[in-house]
Amino acid sequence: MTCELLVLEFWRSDINVSITSRSKTVELQGKKIKLQIWDTAGQERFHTITTSYYRGAMGIMLVYDITNAKSFENISKWLRNIDEHANEDVERMLLGNKCDMEDKRVVPKAKGEQIAKEHGIRFFETSAKANVSIEKAFLTLAEDILRKTPVKEPNSENVDISSGGGVTGWKSKCCS
């Protein structure tokens, strides 16, 4: 089974990045899971391309920057876009990134929690730079997908969950 994960990172829209893809294999529930991660960097110029990725995605992470109010304001628009273009059963998750920069925070954690609750999705605050809750977020999303995806061969030890995006290990290369 292949699972595509789409990562929309709105806080990187001001830099020149293209859609990137990485994969990582993890073990969940005794099965080897291949996460194929597509990272669009949330750039408007990729809007048309991004909507085509929605159809194949089993999970979508929306990532905003807690130090950038504009990146958070885009979340509602992208959630509507996902509702219009993604499969009905796609797992979604909201991440408030850069939690290591508390002194520069402009988006309160409660706002992230509120929008996640309104849309019935999970919420984490993370730091790609300090590697805070990154692995937990990806593993949680993969577990949620695995939980609702029937496995055709119950005795199979390998399940391929693919998702796309700029993640090397669990840390985005933009924050190295």
Side-chain angles (χ1 to χ4, degrees):
M1 174 180 79
T2 298
C3 173
E4 298 285 329
L5 296 181
L6 183 63
V7 179
L8 302 170
E9 296 182 274
F10 305 106
W11 56 279
R12 294 189 340 168
S13 61
D14 61 330
I15 58 177
N16 187 15
V17 207
S18 61
I19 295 174
T20 56
S21 174
R22 298 284 190 268
S23 65
K24 179 169 179 71
T25 302
V26 298
E27 189 165 325
L28 287 175
Q29 301 171 13
K31 296 173 177 61
K32 289 185 180 177
I33 313 287
K34 183 179 179 189
L35 302 174
Q36 181 63 36
I37 304 146
W38 296 96
D39 183 352
T40 69
Q43 295 186 65
E44 278 300 320
R45 69 182 180 183
F46 296 123
H47 174 74
T48 305
I49 297 169
T50 300
T51 57
S52 68
Y53 281 92
Y54 290 160
R55 287 186 271 297
M58 296 177 83
I60 299 175
M61 288 181 161
L62 298 122
V63 185
Y64 68 92
D65 175 351
I66 70 163
T67 71
N68 180 328
K70 185 170 174 40
S71 72
F72 181 75
E73 292 163 9
N74 289 329
I75 296 296
S76 292
K77 176 188 76 166
W78 284 91
L79 283 166
R80 283 191 303 274
N81 203 297
I82 289 166
D83 288 343
E84 290 175 19
H85 298 285
N87 294 332
E88 190 175 297
D89 63 345
V90 69
E91 285 293 325
R92 300 167 299 158
M93 178 179 283
L94 180 62
L95 302 179
N97 196 40
K98 297 189 180 180
C99 70
D100 60 310
M101 299 178 71
E102 188 63 39
D103 58 327
K104 295 181 180 174
R105 177 188 290 274
V106 296
V107 180
K109 184 175 183 179
K111 279 191 166 190
E113 292 170 332
Q114 178 184 354
I115 198 167
K117 184 176 181 181
E118 288 170 5
H119 291 272
I121 61 178
R122 292 188 187 267
F123 172 76
F124 290 95
E125 282 204 339
T126 62
S127 169
K129 184 176 182 179
N131 197 21
V132 175
S133 296
I134 299 294
E135 185 166 355
K136 181 178 180 180
F138 275 95
L139 290 175
T140 299
L141 186 59
E143 287 169 349
D144 290 347
I145 293 167
L146 188 59
R147 189 176 303 114
K148 67 194 256 186
T149 305
V151 178
K152 292 178 182 166
E153 299 175 34
N155 296 328
S156 173
E157 291 299 312
N158 294 312
V159 177
D160 183 10
I161 297 188
S162 300
S163 74
V167 174
T168 305
W170 292 109
K171 187 173 177 180
S172 177
K173 65 183 179 181
C174 73
C175 303
S176 299

